[in-house]
Structures are given as structure tokens and as C-alpha cells.
Amino acid sequence: MNIITKSTPTEDMGHGLYIKREDLACPAPGPPFAKIRGLYHTLLELEKKRAPAVGYMDTTISMAGWGISYLCHALKLKIRPVIYWPSYKDGILRHNIQRHLEVWQSFGASVHPIQASKLSIMRATAAQHLLKTYGTRAEMLPQGLPSNYTIEAVSEEVGYVPKKCLGGSIVLCVGSGVMVAGVLRGLAVTGATPTIYGVLVAPKNKQRMYQKIQDLAGFVDGSIFNPMPTKLNIIDAGYEYSTPIEDITEFPCNDYYDKKAYIWMKQNFDKLEKPVLFWNIGGNGEN
């Protein structure tokens, strides 16, 4: 079974626009979710440590739980995936939860509702349940999956992008900052210096996110590369995390993440230095 796609294609859309199709990083029935690259190695490492279970506090939108449960199933791991999800008092299953519940369970995951509140509180509650149920060797994965495995894998993908696509601008969405950190590290390796535009998928402190991305990429606090060789712009386009973008795109593009950056790019395309590379992280997983 082909679980991870190495060297996803870079497609020429014409007029100086290229698309890095990282939505193809994981073939169906896995999620179109590029963080699958880091999850793959993280779960294999936990299998070696004989962790009995791996937990994650998912959101109503994220594909992390899908990726975790799918990989545990596809790799035939002995680890039990345990996915926690926010449950609201009105009983409504918001956004993608109904579909994701079915997917998680189809891959053998244990699923548990957590009363909706602040994410940090929900995660703490989930972690307590995981350790109480499966013991201290069970592993609760961090929110946003900020794995160095993912950053390294994304860095490697930069090396597969044709050099002609790396001389102008790169646009991608920013949630946890992990994916853009991988792109930055990859650019440092290749020596290319395009300007990066990271479009926030939810309101966040831009300066803190900038510093977090530098840290993840390895440019501060014991840096791998110093200084950062390319310019990074963090863009707050006014999007809320739970607001989907329903515009039709020419390729599979996630309504809650990538489309926010893609629409911003289309609106500002004439101002961006060409060529423009749009780094697509995922799709909706409907096909």
C-alpha cells in the first residue's frame, strides 16, 4: 500500500502561477493532509516505544484525527488511536465532526466527546482520560502536530520543486506554523530566496507567529541556519478559523485552511513578484 507520496507534483496553471500539490501527500482512503508525513514517523517511533495508545484533541475542522487513525490502521500498529472531539450542549455536530467520527471509527479509533470549552482545557481533560484509561506510557500528541519530522519532510519536498518556480513569491496558509517552517528550512537548503506570504487561517498575534515559525524552522534558539535567508510576511486577512471559504478552485483545496490563502493570493496576484508558487497543504477529502 502506498501510504505516503514523495515528490508531489508542481503544476503550471499559466500566467506565472504554480501549485505545489501537497494535498496529494496521502492517497485515499487517507486524508488529503500534508502533515501525514510527520505523523508517519511519529507513530512508528511510538510503536517502537510500545506505547499502548496515542491520543489527540481534535477540532471540529482538523484532519489530524483522520490521519492518526488511518495510519495506525494502514501500518497495522499495535497502538490504539484515541480521538477526542468537542461536544456542544446543543447537541449539534459542528462542521466536519459527523463525517470525521465515521472515518475515525472505520479505522478502529476510540472516540470520546469532551465538553466544548477553551482548547487548552479540553486537551488537559483529554490527556487525563488517556493516561487514566491506557496508563502512563500512552502518548498525547501536541496540538497542531508540531513535529520536526513534518518540518524535515516538508523541507525535503521543497527540493523537488523546479527551481524556476522558486524565484518570486510563495503563498500558503498558516495555522500552527509547522508547514511554513518546513518550507523555510527547505529554501535555506536549496539557497532559493523567494518572498513568502503566510496567510493566517484565524486571528493570531502576527509577531508571535513570526517568531514561532522562525523557531520551528531552526533560525533562532540554537539555529540551524542564521539569519533567515528569505523574507517572511505574516498576513492577517481577517479570517475566522471556523468560517469556510466556498469559492470554487481549480484543484482540491481545503475550505477552512488553504482556500483562505488562495483567495488572498488571487486578490493580490498582480502585486506579487512572479512566478508565484501556491503551496497547497490539503483538500476537503470528499473524493
Side-chain angles (χ1 to χ4, degrees):
M1 181 187 294
N2 182 20
I3 297 175
I4 304 293
T5 301
K6 218 169 188 182
S7 184
T8 52
T10 302
E11 298 180 354
D12 186 349
M13 307 298 286
H15 307 288
L17 173 62
Y18 296 87
I19 310 294
K20 175 61 170 169
R21 292 290 307 278
E22 279 286 85
D23 56 289
L24 300 174
C26 181
F33 175 65
K35 284 186 181 178
I36 203 84
R37 300 186 184 284
L39 268 176
Y40 178 92
H41 295 288
T42 296
L43 292 174
L44 288 178
E45 185 177 86
L46 291 177
E47 177 84 343
K48 290 180 181 178
K49 293 179 179 178
R50 298 185 178 180
V54 59
Y56 190 77
M57 183 64 238
D58 220 335
T59 70
T60 57
I61 295 165
S62 165
M63 290 187 183
W66 183 352
I68 293 165
S69 55
Y70 165 69
L71 284 178
C72 286
H73 172 80
L75 295 171
K76 296 181 171 58
L77 302 182
K78 295 179 181 178
I79 304 171
R80 169 61 64 89
V82 185
I83 311 302
Y84 300 91
W85 55 278
S87 174
Y88 292 83
K89 291 181 180 179
D90 58 16
I92 296 174
L93 300 179
R94 286 166 167 72
H95 307 298
N96 296 332
I97 284 294
Q98 180 62 60
R99 179 161 58 97
H100 286 182
L101 272 169
E102 295 169 3
V103 170
W104 302 334
Q105 292 175 311
S106 74
F107 292 126
S110 295
V111 300
H112 299 275
I114 299 290
Q115 184 175 339
S117 60
K118 288 184 178 180
L119 186 56
S120 59
I121 296 174
M122 290 192 293
R123 186 180 185 280
T125 302
Q128 289 176 358
H129 177 273
L130 183 75
L131 297 180
K132 182 178 179 180
T133 307
Y134 295 96
T136 56
R137 288 168 55 200
E139 186 83 15
M140 191 75 183
L141 295 181
Q143 294 307 122
L145 305 174
S147 167
N148 193 56
Y149 287 128
T150 299
I151 295 169
E152 276 296 306
V154 173
S155 173
E156 186 176 337
E157 282 296 315
V158 175
Y160 298 129
V161 175
K163 291 183 178 180
K164 66 179 181 179
C165 304
L166 298 175
S169 307
I170 296 179
V171 180
L172 73 168
C173 70
V174 173
S176 65
V178 172
M179 307 305 288
V180 67
V183 172
L184 276 167
R185 188 179 295 184
L187 290 171
V189 172
T190 63
T193 57
T195 299
I196 297 181
Y197 298 89
V199 181
L200 294 171
V201 301
K204 292 185 179 179
N205 183 296
K206 292 197 296 182
Q207 184 58 37
R208 288 181 189 168
M209 178 56 69
Y210 183 89
Q211 292 172 351
K212 178 184 178 182
I213 291 168
Q214 285 193 89
D215 194 17
L216 287 169
F219 295 110
V220 294
D221 295 340
S223 63
I224 299 170
F225 308 102
N226 194 16
M228 191 165 66
T230 192
K231 186 176 181 180
L232 170 64
N233 297 286
I234 304 298
I235 308 295
D236 185 350
Y239 297 120
E240 294 293 333
Y241 180 65
S242 60
T243 302
I245 303 298
E246 297 179 351
D247 297 56
I248 296 173
T249 52
E250 304 92 325
F251 53 93
C253 197
N254 190 280
D255 292 350
Y256 294 94
Y257 295 96
D258 299 272
K259 278 188 184 179
K260 293 172 180 177
Y262 191 69
I263 296 304
W264 179 89
M265 182 210 69
K266 295 282 273 188
Q267 293 171 343
N268 293 275
F269 189 75
D270 291 343
K271 304 173 188 175
L272 302 177
E273 184 178 353
K274 311 300 184 295
V276 176
L277 174 65
F278 182 76
W279 193 282
N280 193 48
I281 294 166
N284 286 323
E286 295 174 345
N287 300 320

